[in-house]
Amino acid sequence: MAEPLFARVALIGIGLIGSSLAHVIRREGLAGTVSISSRSAATLARAEELGLGNEYHADPKDAVAGADLVIVSVPVGSSGEVARAIAPALKPGAILTDVGSTKASVIAQMMPEVPDGVHFIPGHPIAGTERSGPDAGFAELFENRWCILTPPPGADPEAVARLSEFWRRCGSNIDTMDPEHHDMVLAIVSHLPHIIAYNIVGTADDLESVTKSEVIKYSASGFRDFTRLAASDPTMWRDVCLHNRDAILEMLARFSEDLASLQRAVRWGDGDKLFDLFTRTRAIRRSIIEAGQEIDAPDFGRQVAAHPEKV
Amino acid sequence: MAEPLFARVALIGIGLIGSSLAHVIRREGLAGTVSISSRSAATLARAEELGLGNEYHADPKDAVAGADLVIVSVPVGSSGEVARAIAPALKPGAILTDVGSTKASVIAQMMPEVPDGVHFIPGHPIAGTERSGPDAGFAELFENRWCILTPPPGADPEAVARLSEFWRRCGSNIDTMDPEHHDMVLAIVSHLPHIIAYNIVGTADDLESVTKSEVIKYSASGFRDFTRLAASDPTMWRDVCLHNRDAILEMLARFSEDLASLQRAVRWGDGDKLFDLFTRTRAIRRSIIEAGQEIDAPDFGRQVAAHPEKV
């Protein structure tokens, strides 16, 4: 058997992303030893029951000791605390990365804690489902998805290359960009859609004139498409909102401006304006299907099992 | 072979819904003869090429002559025009129905044209995909979906029963309600979601700071979920917006009010408020899955082919 890519990998946080990493690391033989830590004793016990790694540590310091690659997969609001906890135990030459959905805030929290000689290379795999916890993971989560790395200026090219190779072996394609651009891109493709989804589900839940059972019965007519996102992990998404505030507020402002204009077209019966917008948006859907970002089973793509010809 | 439910069925309009009806009528043997009409010569020719019916008529009057059941499946803005065109040829005792996404406006347009002795029973199958045209139809579209009927006061109970039986044989469950309530329910479960989806895709398309290719590459992180709705038929949705204006404006106002409050929570870092909303919305998703309105393949439910255990 080939040498594993890393002798020792530490997974700090073992939710959807952490446990999916555990599965793919084993399947691909990417680590000699996987040591796992979770803040929650119940989660850690469940990870052990599931046999996700080789070692389980309540104290993250113990999990990272001697590790060549440390992957922090916790809600972004906890990044600084985790970095402080593990910093003293990090091995010189180790690669430290994360999977957080915001990058500037994670860097601001973690960077000051990182000891000299440790390669801190923030990352974000663009993959997920609405499920959370150690039972939610599966090895195919990252397949044909993008992983964005935001190496700081002066990052060691060899460390970046090794981390990139790790993600490639997990099935991902690699992009690098600066953290501010990452945060702007994610605000529109991910954060705003989640906020909108949470919001519309909340609006429906509050109606007096339409019962909850009606909303559920007739959800196939459109509403349902929003509920998957609105079932995502509340802690993770609270933290995203708090830690990518400026970019999210910017996108919310644009969205609301556009919606006000659309609402005006509805009120005044401006059919041409409605038709123009509704036509323009079709093209984007086609591009997503062409880019293979739609019909992928592992990430709960909308698999058209019965009618593949209709995609 | 059993007697068909109707000797002669006329399908006026042969898009996604009309062509799906053609398929299921044949599969279930619900009609002796199916006659088809479309305003577009190209669409009618395509329907004939696909062999969707037994007769094809450019003039809808010719299609409805002698029909026992007439199903109008056109954008709701064209309902009045179609009713005027077919009224003189409708057979006494025939059932006339439609499939429009708004009911009060369709009734206002069609009812005055309906001759005495014809049973006008408006309907709305809550089923659809983002595809349109005669090639888009498939027999399973209505399976395990709800069909809402809005019979006018004094409607013939036998006619309502026969139309209900027709939809049941298409695979649907039947609900009846008054048109105003229908329009309010659909405004929240269908019309608002489509408008929001069109709007966010438009907002993303307009950004200067994020390229279109970035939006597409990273769409799996949330944005993608909106694009299916935003690829729906522009003519149909323009008409829905114009013909269910009041209920849509009411839902848009509530949505925007809620979004402003959420935006304020983001701006002021009110994590508890965000967490509360994000927790509350999870329950609705679970109910939709329990009601079987989520994982149904025929209507492009998000089939979890590779991981059924993760639903």
Side-chain angles (χ1 to χ4, degrees):
Chain A
M1 188 150 158
E3 187 94 349
L5 195 57
F6 292 96
R8 198 176 172 85
V9 173
L11 300 175
I12 309 303
I14 194 75
L16 168 66
I17 301 290
S19 61
S20 293
L21 281 169
H23 285 291
V24 69
I25 286 170
R26 183 167 41 205
R27 191 190 68 190
E28 299 297 315
L30 301 179
T33 301
V34 173
S35 73
I36 294 175
S37 181
S38 168
R39 182 161 60 170
S40 147
T43 300
L44 192 60
R46 181 65 187 149
E48 185 160 8
E49 248 173 66
L50 293 167
L52 293 177
N54 308 102
E55 297 175 12
Y56 306 88
H57 300 277
D59 188 334
K61 236 182 12 261
D62 299 334
V64 306
D68 308 287
L69 173 65
V70 175
I71 308 178
V72 175
S73 312
V74 302
V76 292
S78 307
S79 311
E81 187 189 323
V82 167
R84 266 187 302 282
I86 62 175
L90 289 170
K91 176 171 121 175
I95 296 174
L96 170 64
T97 189
D98 79 309
V99 300
S101 303
T102 72
K103 295 271 65 82
S105 153
V106 165
I107 292 169
Q109 290 176 72
M110 293 183 71
M111 191 70 113
E113 315 292 339
V114 180
D116 283 350
V118 169
H119 305 291
F120 178 43
I121 303 162
H124 180 203
I126 311 296
T129 76
E130 68 280 22
R131 291 174 39 96
S132 41
D135 286 276
F138 54 103
E140 300 81 6
L141 179 62
F142 309 107
E143 253 170 50
N144 194 30
R145 293 289 162 257
W146 289 88
C147 181
I148 298 176
L149 301 180
T150 62
D156 177 30
E158 204 192 316
V160 175
R162 279 189 80 194
L163 185 59
S164 300
E165 180 60 19
F166 172 82
W167 279 110
R168 259 190 294 274
R169 297 235 206 139
C170 293
S172 295
N173 308 309
I174 313 298
D175 262 343
T176 60
M177 57 180 74
D178 68 62
E180 290 69 29
H181 187 63
H182 167 279
D183 289 356
M184 189 63 85
V185 171
L186 268 289
I188 185 70
V189 299
S190 177
H191 308 169
L192 184 63
H194 278 82
I195 289 171
I196 296 303
Y198 280 122
N199 193 68
I200 193 172
V201 175
T203 301
D205 196 35
D206 282 344
L207 290 174
E208 319 81 13
S209 56
V210 177
T211 67
K212 207 163 301 185
S213 109
E214 287 175 320
V215 169
I216 289 159
K217 269 164 86 172
Y218 309 129
S219 61
S221 56
F223 186 76
R224 182 188 58 183
D225 284 47
F226 292 77
T227 59
R228 191 183 75 81
L229 295 182
S232 303
D233 184 45
T235 306
M236 169 184 164
W237 283 99
R238 177 200 61 197
D239 279 11
V240 167
C241 288
L242 299 177
H243 288 271
N244 196 21
R245 199 188 68 153
D246 293 348
I248 288 173
L249 289 175
E250 161 73 14
M251 295 305 167
L252 271 169
R254 286 170 178 259
F255 173 86
S256 296
E257 210 171 284
D258 293 344
L259 190 62
S261 161
L262 203 165
Q263 181 167 334
R264 194 170 190 283
V266 172
R267 188 178 300 281
W268 293 96
D270 187 346
D272 290 345
K273 184 168 178 175
L274 296 171
F275 186 83
D276 286 349
L277 172 64
F278 297 174
T279 304
R280 179 155 73 94
T281 51
R282 277 195 135 170
I284 294 201
R285 171 71 176 185
R286 269 196 298 274
S287 309
I288 289 175
I289 291 174
E290 282 159 17
Q293 296 300 310
E294 173 56 18
I295 50 160
D296 200 35
D299 77 336
F300 304 78
R302 296 75 179 288
Q303 198 64 353
V304 187
H307 297 275
E309 78 286 2
K310 299 205 185 293
V311 172
Chain B
M1 188 150 161
E3 187 95 348
L5 196 56
F6 293 96
R8 198 176 171 85
V9 172
L11 299 175
I12 310 303
I14 195 74
L16 169 65
I17 301 290
S19 61
S20 292
L21 282 169
H23 285 291
V24 70
I25 286 171
R26 181 166 43 205
R27 192 190 67 188
E28 299 298 315
L30 302 179
T33 301
V34 173
S35 73
I36 293 174
S37 182
S38 168
R39 182 162 60 172
S40 147
T43 299
L44 192 61
R46 182 63 187 150
E48 186 161 8
E49 248 173 65
L50 293 167
L52 293 177
N54 308 103
E55 297 176 12
Y56 305 88
H57 300 279
D59 188 335
K61 240 188 1 267
D62 299 334
V64 305
D68 308 287
L69 173 65
V70 175
I71 307 177
V72 176
S73 312
V74 302
V76 292
S78 306
S79 310
E81 187 189 322
V82 167
R84 265 188 301 284
I86 62 176
L90 290 170
K91 176 171 120 173
I95 296 173
L96 170 65
T97 189
D98 78 307
V99 301
S101 303
T102 73
K103 294 272 65 82
S105 152
V106 165
I107 292 169
Q109 291 176 72
M110 293 183 72
M111 191 69 114
E113 315 293 338
V114 180
D116 284 350
V118 169
H119 304 291
F120 177 44
I121 303 161
H124 180 202
I126 312 295
T129 75
E130 70 280 22
R131 290 176 37 98
S132 40
D135 286 278
F138 56 103
E140 299 82 5
L141 179 63
F142 309 107
E143 254 171 49
N144 194 30
R145 293 289 162 256
W146 289 88
C147 182
I148 298 175
L149 301 180
T150 63
D156 178 30
E158 205 193 313
V160 175
R162 280 189 79 196
L163 184 60
S164 300
E165 180 60 19
F166 172 82
W167 279 111
R168 260 192 294 274
R169 298 236 207 137
C170 293
S172 295
N173 308 308
I174 313 297
D175 262 342
T176 60
M177 58 180 76
D178 68 62
E180 290 69 29
H181 188 62
H182 167 280
D183 289 356
M184 189 63 84
V185 171
L186 269 289
I188 185 69
V189 299
S190 178
H191 307 170
L192 184 63
H194 278 82
I195 289 171
I196 296 303
Y198 279 122
N199 193 67
I200 194 172
V201 175
T203 301
D205 196 35
D206 282 344
L207 291 174
E208 318 82 15
S209 56
V210 177
T211 67
K212 207 162 298 185
S213 110
E214 287 175 320
V215 169
I216 290 160
K217 270 165 84 171
Y218 309 129
S219 61
S221 56
F223 185 77
R224 182 188 58 182
D225 284 46
F226 293 77
T227 58
R228 191 183 76 81
L229 297 183
S232 303
D233 184 44
T235 306
M236 168 184 165
W237 283 98
R238 177 200 60 198
D239 279 11
V240 167
C241 288
L242 300 176
H243 289 271
N244 195 21
R245 199 188 67 153
D246 293 348
I248 288 174
L249 289 176
E250 162 72 12
M251 295 306 168
L252 271 170
R254 285 170 178 258
F255 173 85
S256 294
E257 209 170 285
D258 292 344
L259 190 62
S261 161
L262 204 164
Q263 180 167 333
R264 193 169 190 285
V266 172
R267 187 178 301 281
W268 293 95
D270 187 346
D272 290 346
K273 184 169 179 175
L274 296 171
F275 187 82
D276 287 348
L277 172 66
F278 298 174
T279 303
R280 180 156 71 96
T281 51
R282 278 194 136 171
I284 294 201
R285 170 72 175 186
R286 268 196 299 275
S287 308
I288 288 175
I289 290 173
E290 281 159 18
Q293 295 302 310
E294 172 57 20
I295 50 160
D296 201 35
D299 80 337
F300 304 80
R302 296 71 179 291
Q303 200 59 357
V304 186
H307 296 274
E309 77 285 0
K310 297 202 188 295
V311 174

